[in-house]
Amino acid sequence: MLFFSKSNIQNILSILFCSLPLALVTGPFLSDLILSLIGLYFIIISIRDRLWIYYKNKFVYLFVTFYFLILFGSIFSSTPMNSLESSLFYFRYLFFTLGVMYLLDHKPKLSYYFGYVLFTTILIVLADAYIQFFTGYNILGYEKWSINRLSGFLKDEALGRYLAYLMPLLFATLSMKKIIYRYELIVAMAILILCDILVYLTGERTSFILLLLGTLIIIFNIKRYKYLRAICFIISIIIIFLITNFNSEIKQRVIKESLQGFEIGSDDIKIINKHYDTLYKTSFQMFLDNPIMGIGVKNYRLVCNDEKYYSDDSCSTHPHNTLLQFLSETGISGSIFYFGVFMFCILKLFKNFMYLITKRIEFMLEDYQVCLYTCYVVILWPLAPSLNFFNNWVSILYFLPLPFLLIDKENLYK
């Protein structure tokens, strides 16, 4: 069975991995299927070939500990069957990560191919969303998901997050290339500017703030293409300023509604808006009532209906803030991992910045590593509304940069 040879299977899985950015645009089904296939293959190949070396690292130890914590939290929660839907098979993200690391070890050009597909996918997503902006419909006939908010292929408010989370990864794949031709730089500059503007045009204020955060971190921490990204950022801000002044709908959505969100009363302050404020207070109360293990992954949507917590705007599928989701659903035990990973990334980038300004270049991060750590600062940023951390589609988006960060950098530069 020549077709099912080890090399052919690796080629097929490599193609599937490269297609993940495009699969994410279609929704959770294809992307979750690809992730599961890569993870399953790695389980089989690692047992058959005794690849225990992949399991002997801090990431695996930390992941396994975190997995059993959320698993036990689900089992001992008030609604274990609901919670186990998210926690029981969460281990597949571990084997996906290790599987991609294995492919990167055996396919030296895989990071380049992935970068080209990611680049092309973002270009397609941008073109489609701009068509929707100017005509009201994208190329598949989808309308804007609300009057003045773009959705493109993703149909809802995920477009801005998709771009904000993947732009640092795109810049990372660009930084992995030793030689970049002039035409590639020109196209890359155009993509960066168009992406900055489009995230603003989506009307997703949080996504735009996260994109700005990621951009500034990258500009202050990388060595190559620092000024390229800075110039693109300045051009984007100028164009955004002009658009805001000449488009009343965008001005209303992004500026006026944002200011209206800060409701200050005589005895209360609404941090974002009434709905988010209620979600945050409810989730924090759940944490206070269940401080060690939390209420269980995915259980917020059910527990919020309890008489003790229920009020107008208190219920949703999740608390809409990563920090509060970890506190309420996993308690202190799970939140330690969240804080640990977030602070680790912050400290890495801060140390890199200090080395840059003191010229101790022998300790600096590679530029692609800066971009990948930036991915996780943006993803885990605690001071903003967020997507559901344990959602399948969101989790794939979150784990996508991880293999590139964990793999030996020499394997990315072969």
Side-chain angles (χ1 to χ4, degrees):
M1 298 291 289
L2 186 59
F3 178 78
F4 293 103
S5 67
K6 183 177 178 179
S7 178
N8 283 339
I9 294 176
Q10 288 179 1
N11 290 335
I12 293 171
L13 291 177
S14 296
I15 293 171
L16 289 176
F17 171 67
C18 289
S19 69
L20 257 179
L22 185 59
L24 283 165
V25 175
T26 69
F29 176 75
L30 286 178
S31 49
D32 206 7
L33 178 61
I34 292 171
L35 175 140
S36 299
L37 288 173
I38 293 175
L40 180 61
Y41 173 74
F42 180 76
I43 293 174
I44 296 171
I45 200 71
S46 64
I47 294 174
R48 192 191 72 178
D49 294 350
R50 300 180 180 276
L51 303 175
W52 312 131
I53 187 65
Y54 285 94
Y55 297 100
K56 297 178 181 179
N57 61 71
K58 293 179 181 178
F59 162 69
V60 174
Y61 304 148
L62 289 172
F63 187 99
V64 170
T65 305
F66 176 71
Y67 171 71
F68 281 109
L69 280 173
I70 63 172
L71 186 63
F72 290 146
S74 296
I75 293 172
F76 294 106
S77 69
S78 58
T79 53
M81 296 307 296
N82 179 74
S83 186
L84 286 170
E85 289 180 8
S86 288
S87 60
L88 183 58
F89 294 102
Y90 196 75
F91 64 82
R92 67 190 187 278
Y93 299 107
L94 168 64
F95 292 106
F96 163 75
T97 302
L98 298 178
V100 175
M101 291 173 64
Y102 173 79
L103 292 174
L104 287 169
D105 278 334
H106 291 79
K107 300 291 179 182
K109 297 295 183 181
L110 181 58
S111 59
Y112 297 144
Y113 298 143
F114 177 84
Y116 285 126
V117 175
L118 177 61
F119 184 90
T120 304
T121 301
I122 289 179
L123 184 60
I124 294 171
V125 169
L126 289 174
D128 176 75
Y130 274 107
I131 290 172
Q132 189 181 60
F133 174 72
F134 288 109
T135 68
Y137 298 87
N138 82 331
I139 60 176
L140 297 180
Y142 300 151
E143 293 185 82
K144 300 176 183 178
W145 81 274
S146 95
I147 295 175
N148 56 352
R149 300 186 70 174
L150 301 176
S151 58
F153 290 116
L154 286 92
K155 301 183 184 179
D156 54 26
E157 57 180 324
L159 175 61
R161 294 301 180 106
Y162 177 87
L163 294 172
Y165 291 155
L166 288 184
M167 284 308 293
L169 179 57
L170 177 64
F171 210 83
T173 60
L174 182 70
S175 301
M176 291 174 194
K177 297 189 65 175
K178 291 182 178 178
I179 300 176
I180 299 181
Y181 299 102
R182 182 175 298 178
Y183 76 90
E184 292 178 311
L185 286 176
I186 294 173
V187 175
M189 290 181 70
I191 293 292
L192 291 169
I193 294 170
L194 290 172
C195 184
D196 291 343
I197 297 169
L198 183 67
V199 173
Y200 180 79
L201 293 178
T202 63
E204 299 174 39
R205 291 163 293 190
T206 300
S207 298
F208 184 64
I209 291 171
L210 293 176
L211 181 68
L212 292 181
L213 173 66
T215 299
L216 292 174
I217 292 173
I218 288 173
I219 288 174
F220 285 107
N221 276 278
I222 60 174
K223 303 183 291 295
R224 299 170 68 198
Y225 313 121
K226 177 191 297 286
Y227 297 110
L228 178 146
R229 187 64 185 106
I231 291 171
C232 292
F233 178 64
I234 293 170
I235 294 173
S236 300
I237 294 299
I238 293 172
I239 296 174
I240 286 170
F241 178 78
L242 294 174
I243 291 174
T244 303
N245 275 278
F246 289 101
N247 191 309
S248 58
E249 288 185 357
I250 294 175
K251 187 174 184 179
Q252 171 67 27
R253 166 63 190 160
V254 179
I255 306 298
K256 295 182 179 179
E257 290 186 18
S258 295
L259 293 175
Q260 291 170 1
F262 294 89
E263 304 171 17
I264 303 178
S266 57
D267 57 359
D268 199 10
I269 296 177
K270 303 295 185 289
I271 299 173
I272 304 294
N273 57 43
K274 181 180 178 181
H275 178 53
Y276 281 150
D277 187 69
T278 305
L279 290 176
Y280 295 168
K281 289 179 179 178
T282 302
S283 58
F284 189 68
Q285 186 59 51
M286 291 178 184
F287 161 67
L288 294 178
D289 293 338
N290 306 271
I292 306 302
M293 298 296 292
I295 59 174
V297 172
K298 199 185 176 183
N299 277 344
Y300 181 90
R301 68 191 69 197
L302 300 180
V303 178
C304 66
N305 287 300
D306 290 355
E307 184 177 350
K308 181 177 182 179
Y309 304 113
Y310 184 78
S311 66
D312 291 341
D313 296 315
S314 66
C315 274
S316 181
T317 54
H318 60 102
H320 289 270
N321 177 273
T322 301
L323 169 59
L324 289 172
Q325 183 175 12
F326 267 88
L327 287 172
S328 61
E329 295 189 345
T330 70
I332 293 175
S333 58
S335 299
I336 289 173
F337 290 87
Y338 165 79
F339 280 116
V341 172
F342 179 72
M343 291 308 302
F344 176 79
C345 295
I346 289 289
L347 290 173
K348 278 282 189 179
L349 291 168
F350 178 74
K351 184 181 290 187
N352 180 75
F353 175 72
M354 295 306 297
Y355 286 145
L356 270 174
I357 62 177
T358 58
K359 306 301 182 182
R360 295 173 62 181
I361 60 174
E362 66 272 22
F363 296 107
M364 285 198 305
L365 296 171
E366 297 285 345
D367 283 351
Y368 84 90
Q369 293 173 316
V370 168
C371 296
L372 294 173
Y373 281 118
T374 300
C375 284
Y376 285 100
V377 171
V378 170
I379 287 169
L380 299 174
W381 187 251
L383 304 178
S386 67
L387 301 174
N388 182 356
F389 187 89
F390 296 101
N391 173 274
N392 288 1
W393 185 87
V394 174
S395 293
I396 297 169
L397 198 60
Y398 288 178
F399 276 88
L400 193 55
L402 190 56
F404 297 103
L405 191 57
L406 296 176
I407 196 72
D408 189 332
K409 66 182 181 180
E410 295 301 324
N411 291 340
L412 294 175
Y413 286 102
K414 286 180 181 177

